[in-house]
Amino acid sequence: MVLRQRILPAALAFGLLIGIHEGRVALWEGDDPAPEFVSDYCAAALPPSDQEALQKGIPAADQGQASSRMEDFSS
């Protein structure tokens, strides 16, 4: 995915990254190029600022933080 190629290595140090995969909000773990989880949340339905943040990638420190941030996109 293009997102993974643009992320700074420091951002991946967290181990979890939230972004967009095939138009949906998704979660990557480690350096695996395939997402660990792809949600039902359509990225195009989010505000432009959220879409931009997701396109850049949002690091998460742990699974709890990743879940919380992903839930924020569902409301």
Side-chain angles (χ1 to χ4, degrees):
M1 175 176 184
V2 175
L3 169 72
R4 299 289 278 181
Q5 296 169 356
R6 294 188 313 216
I7 299 300
L8 298 174
L12 292 177
F14 285 100
L16 296 168
L17 187 71
I18 303 166
I20 300 172
H21 178 73
E22 297 181 356
R24 304 280 180 194
V25 177
L27 175 69
W28 283 263
E29 188 170 354
D31 59 358
D32 190 346
E36 179 76 20
F37 173 76
V38 180
S39 74
D40 292 333
Y41 316 139
C42 181
L46 297 171
S49 60
D50 287 346
Q51 291 180 43
E52 184 177 329
L54 286 166
Q55 287 172 355
K56 291 178 182 177
I58 301 170
D62 57 39
Q63 198 70 343
Q65 185 182 50
S67 294
S68 176
R69 288 186 175 186
M70 289 189 73
E71 286 176 15
D72 290 344
F73 295 119
S74 69
S75 54

